[in-house]
Amino acid sequence: MRDVTYPPIVWTALAGFKALGQRFQMTGTENVPRTGGVLLAYNHIGYVDFIYGGFAARPSRRLVRFMAKRELFDHPAVGPLMRSLHHIEVDRASGEKSLDVALEYLEAGEAVGIFPEATISRSMEIKEIKTGAVRIAAAAGVPLVPVILWGTQRMMTKDHPRDFSRGKTIALTVGEPMYPTGENPAAETAELKARMSALLDQTIAAYPAEEQPPGSWWLPKRLGGSAPTLEEAAVLDAEEKRERARKRAAKRAAAKGR
């Protein structure tokens, strides 16, 4: 692919990270192959995950094409940028087209990034994940590499104010690749979740203790933080979904009444 926009965006991001005094704690980046199609499966804890997630592949000199929700592509300013970076538009109501595009990219030797939880995890734990990641990797015949992000939620996530103060550590942990066959997507998805959960615990344990004291809102409750449990987060997610549906219905009703 011809990348006119991506390189300067990367350098701009690097300058931004430096201005924010951010430290990167990166482990396992050698697990990202330097060539050939690869699907990177990320956990999802904040709105800036896709900005930082690409840096897991930077040591391998790869540019990651992220699968992202359609709303970003519909934005008048963000949409053209997303397209210029060759990211992949995902329509949650009809995802087959995005799967086909991801397959085309992978078969062409690209690195594709996917968030198999689909939405941000309020619990900071690994939520139930979709089978799409293992199905795509199996269909394309490419490795599926789990990646854990930590620290991005401290800047911008659901239910909390933005905080771009200086000096935060951003951790990325890249796991060993899986090679899904597609014969049992449910079992392979369960394995992916187990691997991501183990990597998450590993990443949290290695994170600077002074930056996540007991009771921190961004730390899972089972590890001494005050984030919602998975069950509590599921209730909040359901409430949010109902509220979005209500607003969409009200908007449609208002449009019909004009």
Side-chain angles (χ1 to χ4, degrees):
M1 291 183 180
R2 180 174 171 79
D3 284 295
V4 175
T5 310
Y6 218 139
I9 288 291
V10 170
W11 288 111
T12 300
L14 286 170
F17 302 155
K18 185 176 181 180
L20 289 170
Q22 293 178 343
R23 297 174 292 275
F24 280 77
Q25 185 174 291
M26 300 174 67
T27 305
T29 55
E30 68 278 2
N31 289 317
V32 179
R34 289 182 172 271
T35 60
V38 58
L39 184 62
L40 305 173
Y42 296 82
N43 67 320
H44 202 5
I45 51 175
Y47 291 112
V48 295
D49 288 344
F50 72 97
I51 296 175
Y52 289 84
F55 282 80
R58 182 169 170 76
S60 295
R61 301 182 182 277
R62 307 294 300 271
L63 298 175
V64 182
R65 319 298 178 174
F66 281 96
M67 300 181 72
K69 62 183 180 180
R70 187 190 65 189
E71 288 83 352
L72 289 173
F73 291 82
D74 290 341
H75 191 280
V78 177
L81 176 62
M82 296 291 283
R83 293 184 184 90
S84 74
L85 300 174
H86 303 294
H87 292 321
I88 302 169
E89 180 179 348
V90 177
D91 185 345
R92 291 173 183 166
S94 177
E96 291 304 316
K97 182 178 179 181
S98 62
L99 296 182
D100 290 341
V101 175
L103 282 172
E104 290 176 10
Y105 278 28
L106 291 167
E107 289 169 354
E110 294 289 336
V112 174
I114 187 171
F115 295 99
E117 296 168 282
T119 57
I120 289 173
S121 173
R122 286 181 160 98
S123 70
M124 309 302 162
E125 304 264 22
I126 306 299
K127 299 166 58 174
E128 289 302 317
I129 63 179
K130 313 295 184 182
T131 60
V134 298
R135 291 191 291 112
I136 292 171
V142 300
L144 174 60
V145 178
V147 184
I148 293 298
L149 290 157
W150 193 250
T152 57
Q153 76 275 37
R154 298 173 60 196
M155 288 180 283
M156 191 175 177
T157 193
K158 289 184 176 181
D159 307 328
H160 295 279
R162 299 178 184 182
D163 179 7
F164 289 94
S165 57
R166 289 175 51 81
K168 293 181 177 64
T169 296
I170 305 299
L172 294 98
T173 304
V174 184
E176 294 183 358
M178 293 175 55
Y179 296 89
T181 64
E183 294 179 4
N184 191 336
E188 291 177 327
T189 298
E191 180 184 352
L192 174 61
K193 182 182 178 183
R195 290 193 185 200
M196 293 179 73
S197 296
L199 288 171
L200 176 64
D201 285 356
Q202 174 187 325
T203 306
I204 293 173
Y207 198 76
E210 64 274 14
E211 291 190 46
Q212 53 181 22
S216 298
W217 63 259
W218 57 84
L219 192 60
K221 188 166 288 186
R222 66 180 174 83
L223 297 177
S226 57
T229 63
L230 280 164
E231 294 75 20
E232 292 167 342
V235 172
L236 294 172
D237 289 346
E239 291 174 353
E240 179 184 42
K241 189 174 181 179
R242 285 193 295 269
E243 180 61 16
R244 285 182 177 176
R246 184 193 66 78
K247 287 182 178 179
R248 285 195 298 268
K251 188 176 181 179
R252 287 194 296 267
K256 288 181 180 179
R258 289 174 186 169

